[in-house]
Amino acid sequence: MKKSRFTTEQIIGFIKQADAGMAVSELARQHGFSPASFYAWRAKYGGMEAEDAKRLKDLESENSRLKRLLAEAHLDIEALKVGFGGKTLAPQRKREAIRRMCELTPISERRACRLAGLSRDAFRHEPEPTPATQALSLRLVELAQVRRRFGYRRLHDLLKREFPMVNHKKVYRLYQEAKLSVRRRRKAKRPVGERQKLRASCRPNDTWSMDFVFDALANGRRIKSLTVVDDFTRESVDIAVDHGISGAYVVRLLDQAACFRGYPSAVRTDNGPEFTSRAFIAWTQQHGVEHILIEPGCPTQNGYIESFNGKFRDECLNEHWFTSLTQARGVIGEWRRDYNEVRPHSSCGRIPPSQFAAHHRAQQDNNAVIFNPGLSQ
């Protein structure tokens, strides 16, 4: 808007002269303005005194300032919505928000940094990871590629051996930056029924759980794996792989495992023909082993072996393409050794099952010496 060369007091004086009887044309000729300007002034300032006109001018300037501030506030709100979309505190996210604000809104970099709460120097110069952090990140990616179903907590358990001073929060941050998150499996909806609570084991060899896992070779021929797990230590007692496994075969394998570990107090199985055969029932009666049969169609009653079989499928069977029975036995045997001796287990205090069993045996031996001093002599 073009600014007038006459002050508000002068304009009100012109209006009063015209009201006193002076012709508008003569007034305009004397002071050098057009009659149209005079009539516009009269419409705006007619009947006002100089103080009223001054107050009106102050109100107009204040109104203009408030409009400008409101427009800037709306621009700031729009920039924050575009940049953040929610509460964000991490500097990395703030940098991304500032870039989006500068790209999608007519806002300067200085103003975007002020809105995000980050200095321009911090925005322009991103921190570079130290060599130790780079080595940790590379090792984390290597382990995640080998153990694809491991989350950041179990990867952190493995990394503690090589990087003892690294905590789980830093591993989680690097895990997220490398986009290593494991996709969660959708659980199937099943009808709710009455569940039988698993009987907790109190010592090694108290209860063994058994089940079968099926797979196929590259030529399409089926292979069958018998998995046996100690419920207390979570150790894999044995994984037998063959094209066919009968009840007598199961008995023979259990006798071989018992040569090193001893016979269990009980075994938990489903109602498969191998576990209800005469050979298997005779074996349980001969060695005084309690046979716990779960209800048909209730795999949750055999939860320990079901959990183990899920890991066995995800980390071994689904990751390898078997061309022969010999190769399958070698790969599965190596996975079993890794499961027992290397892989940390959350139910064992995030240590391998064999290490947990060794600690338990050592603790039992110490307790025996304390309560029976004669054993130490």
Side-chain angles (χ1 to χ4, degrees), residues 77-346:
I77 292 172
E78 181 185 358
L80 289 172
K81 286 182 179 179
V82 170
F84 288 86
K87 185 177 181 180
T88 307
L89 299 177
Q92 295 85 351
R93 298 291 302 277
K94 287 183 178 180
R95 291 188 187 92
E96 297 174 4
I98 292 171
R99 293 190 185 97
R100 287 197 297 271
M101 283 190 271
C102 295
E103 292 174 358
L104 303 178
T105 61
I107 195 172
S108 65
E109 179 186 296
R110 185 188 303 274
R111 190 170 178 181
C113 289
R114 186 176 69 251
L115 291 174
L118 193 71
S119 66
R120 296 178 68 192
D121 183 68
F123 168 67
R124 294 185 175 184
H125 303 93
E126 297 186 15
E128 296 183 359
T130 61
T133 302
Q134 292 178 356
L136 175 63
S137 181
L138 291 175
R139 183 58 179 156
L140 176 64
V141 173
E142 291 176 2
L143 288 175
Q145 290 175 350
V146 174
R147 305 178 184 273
R148 300 183 182 181
R149 297 302 303 176
F150 273 28
Y152 80 95
R153 290 187 182 277
R154 286 196 284 180
L155 291 175
H156 172 246
D157 293 335
L158 295 175
L159 288 170
K160 283 193 298 187
R161 304 167 188 173
E162 303 176 31
F163 304 89
M165 300 302 293
V166 175
N167 62 8
H168 68 280
K169 292 182 286 187
K170 184 171 184 178
V171 173
Y172 177 72
R173 178 172 59 82
L174 298 176
Y175 183 82
Q176 291 291 101
E177 290 177 359
K179 298 180 180 180
L180 300 174
S181 298
V182 179
R183 184 173 59 183
R184 292 187 176 182
R185 299 181 183 274
R186 297 185 63 182
K187 294 184 178 180
K189 293 184 178 180
R190 298 183 176 90
V192 179
E194 184 179 356
R195 295 184 178 180
Q196 181 179 347
K197 187 177 180 180
L198 285 177
R199 188 178 67 184
S201 299
C202 57
R203 57 184 174 79
N205 273 7
D206 184 26
T207 306
W208 289 359
S209 295
M210 295 183 289
D211 199 5
F212 288 101
V213 180
F214 298 92
D215 200 5
L217 299 178
N219 58 10
R221 189 173 181 184
R222 190 182 69 166
I223 59 175
K224 193 175 183 180
S225 302
L226 171 66
T227 56
V228 186
V229 172
D230 189 313
D231 291 356
F232 182 77
T233 64
R234 303 300 197 274
E235 287 180 286
S236 174
V237 177
D238 196 4
I239 302 179
V241 185
D242 212 324
H243 293 298
I245 299 178
S246 62
Y249 198 145
V250 173
V251 169
R252 187 167 64 253
L253 293 173
L254 293 177
D255 284 332
Q256 292 177 1
C259 292
F260 300 96
R261 308 175 63 93
Y263 288 97
S265 300
V267 291
R268 182 185 290 108
T269 68
D270 57 17
N271 294 267
E274 299 86 359
F275 303 128
T276 56
S277 64
R278 292 182 179 179
F280 189 83
I281 294 174
W283 177 83
T284 58
Q285 294 175 352
Q286 178 184 356
H287 298 286
V289 178
E290 180 187 359
H291 188 194
I292 305 173
L293 280 171
I294 67 172
E295 298 177 11
C298 296
T300 54
Q301 295 179 5
N302 202 4
Y304 295 115
I305 195 64
E306 292 294 338
S307 175
F308 174 82
N309 289 344
K311 301 180 182 70
F312 177 45
R313 291 190 189 94
D314 291 340
E315 300 173 12
C316 184
L317 299 184
N318 295 343
E319 295 294 328
H320 296 88
W321 185 256
F322 301 129
T323 57
S324 65
L325 184 61
T326 303
Q327 182 211 2
R329 286 173 174 170
V331 171
I332 292 173
E334 179 61 26
W335 180 87
R336 175 176 169 269
R337 185 202 63 79
D338 178 83
Y339 178 88
N340 283 339
E341 301 176 7
V342 180
R343 183 187 185 279
H345 201 294
S346 58

Side-chain angles (χ1 to χ4, degrees), residues 12-24 27 38 42:
I12 291 177
F14 298 155
I15 295 174
K16 288 184 176 181
Q17 290 180 22
D19 293 340
M22 188 174 182
V24 174
L27 187 64
F38 174 80
R42 173 177 281 180

Side-chain angles (χ1 to χ4, degrees), residues 40-66:
W41 292 339
R42 173 177 281 180
K44 184 175 182 181
Y45 300 108
M48 297 177 61
E49 296 295 332
E51 292 295 330
D52 298 335
K54 185 178 181 181
R55 191 177 301 110
L56 177 62
K57 185 176 181 181
D58 292 340
L59 289 174
E60 288 179 348
S61 61
E62 181 68 15
N63 188 35
S64 177
R65 188 180 70 86
L66 291 175

